[in-house]
Amino acid sequence: MAKADQQSFDAVIVGAGFSGLYMLHKLRQLGLTARVYEAGDGVGGTWYWNRYPGARVDVESQEYSYSFDEALQDEWVWTERYSTQPELLRYINHVADRFDLRRDVQLETRVQAAKYDEASALWTVSTDRGEVVSARYCIMATGCLSVPNEPNFPGQDQFKGPTYHTGRWPHEGVDFTGKRVAVIGTGSSAIQSIPQIAAQAEQIYVLQRTPNYSVPAHNAPIDPAALADWNANRAARRQAQRASVSGIYAADPTEILAMEVSAEERQARYEERWAKGGFCIGATFADMGIDKAANDTAAAFVADKIRSMVKDPKVAEALVPKDYPFGAKRLCVDTGYYETFNRGNVSLIDLNASPLDRITAKGVQVDGEEIAVDAIVFAIGFDAMTGALSRIHIHGKGGQALSEVWEAGPRSYLGLMVAGFPNLFTVTGPGSPSVLSNMLVSIEQHVEWISDCIGHLQDRQLASIEAMPDAQDAWVDHVNEVANMTLHVQASSWYLGANIPGKPRVFMPYIGGVGLYREKCDDVAAKGYEGFALKSAATVG
Ligand code: FAD
Ligand code: N01
């Protein structure tokens, strides 16, 4: 029960990235009071924390931006095809100022616990500053990739030099001039940063556990003609994003099947998309994600590209992914990644052939041999999708802990709510398209669905909404069924929690596509929030 002197809001929002800020804006439009808590000392989430060299978006800039406000879209002009982290951070700060959001955002404050009181249908939220506030609604905009995977290598504490995690890069930057650097990991963050670090450092050692598929970005200053074309057709393109599978207009999916065309035509189609750059190659054929034979043609195409770009055949072979389908781990989009291995100051260490024994005072010991380095970069990713939620003590009805309810993996209804946790919403939570999509499209859809839902409750003076266990079970079954139809489940990826030792292996995002998913969410709302229990103040408790 909320104490009489306790500060209260209609809603508490946790996180001030793209999700949390838009959520605040939408709740204000409903006339509600809200407080946003953000652990960082600035807004921007991902783009506040990830400041490693080369950090940039890999969905084209105008697509990876808010669509909810026409004037905002008119006034903000991106400078590059794929914006850099500093430009994205400027954009989100502009949004915060433009919509006067900062006055309800409390920075440098970590939410530690959220507890639901059944009698009052209120959440009590407590922070690391000792504040305790109550709210009708608690919205977790905590991010899917906001909790770094903590390095846990034997001997790491003995290392005398500096270490960096790509997900927590120092704000003042790092100068690697004249330094020997080890980079552990070869995911998107590593693939973006390695070419930049290699250009600066004296020597760089890339420690690779699993090679990734990467395709060229062909980044460039924004093409004025392309921008004019986007703006002239913006409304239709935004609509197409929302109705698509990936939320990316430029993905340009086709209905053509890879095995239905000749080998020459297949090659020509892959070449065309390779030349365009970015994610569109992943949508060259409609069956690439479900038919192994079709997928093998894409894998072989990219493998040949790698072999053509990397001069040393042994290094090239080590960089070619061999044991999982193309696109089953998140595709990387790079600027000069493979060519970097032709530099004299870059060494690839294949940890499968030469395991990383330990970190020593002077460097890394690989297969019994010590390699001296001055600095280590951990590009080892995140405790994805559930990491931020599992670090908050969330207790729902009957005092049950979310961490216990999700012990065997996350379960939710539509990735929006969890049975037993009334009035608690997750933005881009597990069970929604989320990280499999252009996140801006998914964020806007979730925030708008949640604010419509809250508006519905407010209009009818209802006290709570809660996912029904049966609806949740059916949704989880559907999420699993669709995932199991794809090749995605054949890779040990972070989508499955495979990167975190001990994490349950559950394919977390919904792979049915953002358009279909939106229809399902809209349909649920149109049917009076089918699968949810809505209660009036008289019946809660
Ligand atoms: P975040 O931006 O992660 O924000 C969540 C915020 O919540 C963080 O600031 C965090 O500090 C805060 N928080 C978490 N827990 C607490 C707590 N307990 N108390 C207080 N605050 C808390 N997506 C794409 O679609 N395209 C891309 O090209 C792309 N590039 C990416 C590049 C990188 C390096 C990374 C890491 C991710 C990328 N993503 C990309 C995914 C990206 O996370 C989303 O696009 C988007 O920025 C997520 O916004 P968000 O607000 O949901 O979460
Ligand atoms: O993290 P990752 P990331 N010993 O998990 C390796 C988004 N993003 O930060 O594959 C040795 O992908 C691990 O190896 P393995 C995007 O959604 C986008 O790079 O687990 N190695 C892997 O190589 C992306 O997918 C952009 O075998 C270890 C690497 O570390 C997501 O964020 C840029 C290890 C981690 O790769 C995460 O990307 C950046 C260990 N103990 C991020 N533990 C854009 O381009 C892990 N690894 C827009």
Side-chain angles (χ1 to χ4, degrees), residues 323-334:
D323 58 2
Y324 65 94
F326 173 79
K329 278 174 174 255
R330 190 184 184 278
L331 192 58
C332 301
V333 180
D334 73 271

Side-chain angles (χ1 to χ4, degrees), residues 66-83:
Y66 289 121
S67 71
F68 68 83
D69 189 274
E70 290 301 319
L72 172 65
Q73 295 194 80
D74 286 337
E75 76 202 9
W76 187 270
V77 182
W78 299 102
T79 64
E80 291 183 63
R81 182 174 174 195
Y82 299 97
S83 322

Side-chain angles (χ1 to χ4, degrees), residues 14-21 37-40 42-50 52 55-59 64 109-112 141-147 168 189 192 279 330 382 388-389 391-392 427-428 434-435 437-440 443:
V14 189
F18 278 97
S19 299
L21 291 182
Y37 290 114
E38 166 55 55
V43 301
T46 287
W47 305 106
Y48 167 87
W49 295 109
N50 292 266
Y52 57 83
R56 64 173 74 242
V57 72
D58 61 8
V59 171
Y64 186 84
T109 309
R110 182 168 290 282
V111 167
Q112 291 181 316
T142 44
C144 293
L145 296 160
S146 57
V147 174
R168 288 287 180 272
S189 302
Q192 287 190 326
F279 281 119
R330 190 184 184 278
F382 300 89
L389 294 168
R391 280 159 180 78
I392 304 172
V427 184
T428 69
S434 181
V435 290
S437 67
N438 171 358
M439 290 286 277
L440 260 286
I443 287 169

Side-chain angles (χ1 to χ4, degrees), residues 47 50 52 55-59 145 149 152-153 165-167 184-192 207-212 329-333 351 356 379-382 435 492 494-495 498-499:
W47 305 106
N50 292 266
Y52 57 83
R56 64 173 74 242
V57 72
D58 61 8
V59 171
L145 296 160
N149 177 16
N152 187 21
F153 296 92
H165 194 298
T166 48
I184 304 180
T186 49
S188 297
S189 302
I191 281 177
Q192 287 190 326
L207 278 64
Q208 171 188 273
R209 186 165 72 179
T210 312
N212 252 300
K329 278 174 174 255
R330 190 184 184 278
L331 192 58
C332 301
V333 180
L351 296 180
L356 173 59
I380 57 172
F382 300 89
V435 290
S492 293
W494 59 257
Y495 296 136
N499 62 330

Side-chain angles (χ1 to χ4, degrees), residues 192-204:
Q192 287 190 326
S193 57
I194 285 166
Q196 306 252 338
I197 298 173
Q200 198 179 51
E202 180 185 305
Q203 180 70 35
I204 164 169

Side-chain angles (χ1 to χ4, degrees), residues 10-340:
D10 292 315
V12 160
I13 300 166
V14 189
F18 278 97
S19 299
L21 291 182
Y22 184 37
M23 195 73 243
L24 171 62
H25 180 62
K26 289 298 288 181
L27 292 184
R28 279 205 195 146
Q29 286 179 336
L30 291 176
L32 302 183
T33 59
R35 163 70 55 85
V36 180
Y37 290 114
E38 166 55 55
D41 73 0
V43 301
T46 287
W47 305 106
Y48 167 87
W49 295 109
N50 292 266
R51 300 173 189 237
Y52 57 83
R56 64 173 74 242
V57 72
D58 61 8
V59 171
E60 293 188 32
S61 306
Q62 67 276 14
E63 294 215 43
Y64 186 84
S65 61
Y66 289 121
S67 71
F68 68 83
D69 189 274
E70 290 301 319
L72 172 65
Q73 295 194 80
D74 286 337
E75 76 202 9
W76 187 270
V77 182
W78 299 102
T79 64
E80 291 183 63
R81 182 174 174 195
Y82 299 97
S83 322
T84 59
Q85 172 273 329
E87 191 166 11
L88 285 153
L89 192 57
R90 279 198 296 280
Y91 171 74
I92 193 73
N93 274 283
H94 168 73
V95 170
D97 291 331
R98 190 187 198 290
F99 297 100
D100 186 24
L101 300 176
R102 293 187 201 275
R103 62 186 156 87
D104 290 322
V105 179
Q106 184 170 317
L107 300 171
E108 294 183 272
T109 309
R110 182 168 290 282
V111 167
Q112 291 181 316
K115 195 166 183 296
Y116 185 68
D117 176 67
E118 284 171 63
S120 60
L122 293 176
W123 282 91
T124 300
V125 176
S126 35
T127 76
D128 61 355
R129 288 175 174 241
E131 286 150 307
V132 181
V133 301
S134 68
R136 172 77 57 210
Y137 310 105
C138 184
I139 298 147
M140 294 297 177
T142 44
C144 293
L145 296 160
S146 57
V147 174
N149 177 16
E150 288 303 329
N152 187 21
F153 296 92
Q156 69 185 37
D157 294 342
Q158 288 160 24
F159 183 63
K160 297 274 185 263
T163 62
Y164 308 98
H165 194 298
T166 48
R168 288 287 180 272
W169 203 258
H171 290 199
E172 64 280 12
V174 181
D175 184 2
F176 289 116
T177 308
K179 305 273 193 254
R180 298 159 302 173
V181 185
V183 178
I184 304 180
T186 49
S188 297
S189 302
I191 281 177
Q192 287 190 326
S193 57
I194 285 166
Q196 306 252 338
I197 298 173
Q200 198 179 51
E202 180 185 305
Q203 180 70 35
I204 164 169
Y205 300 92
V206 176
L207 278 64
Q208 171 188 273
R209 186 165 72 179
T210 312
N212 252 300
Y213 289 100
S214 188
V215 298
H218 299 315
N219 186 41
I222 209 114
D223 172 7
L227 185 61
D229 179 48
W230 173 266
N231 283 333
N233 298 290
R234 196 168 68 202
R237 301 256 167 105
R238 289 300 201 179
Q239 205 42 45
Q241 283 184 312
R242 294 181 195 116
S244 70
V245 172
S246 65
I248 305 174
Y249 175 77
D252 190 19
T254 68
E255 294 297 313
I256 305 163
L257 304 180
M259 308 315 285
E260 189 176 78
V261 299
S262 68
E264 292 73 29
E265 182 176 345
R266 227 171 16 237
Q267 183 75 7
R269 287 181 179 273
Y270 285 137
E271 286 287 1
E272 189 191 333
R273 284 169 182 252
W274 183 270
K276 272 190 192 159
F279 281 119
C280 66
I281 196 164
T284 314
F285 297 107
D287 49 353
M288 286 166 64
I290 46 173
D291 176 359
K292 183 68 170 51
N295 189 285
D296 284 347
T297 66
F301 175 83
V302 178
D304 282 348
K305 286 289 182 196
I306 297 171
R307 293 182 187 113
S308 74
M309 286 184 281
V310 179
K311 288 188 186 136
D312 181 332
K314 266 180 71 181
V315 176
E317 229 28 61
L319 287 166
V320 172
K322 304 257 170 21
D323 58 2
Y324 65 94
F326 173 79
K329 278 174 174 255
R330 190 184 184 278
L331 192 58
C332 301
V333 180
D334 73 271
T335 299
Y337 176 64
Y338 293 112
E339 295 87 340
T340 297

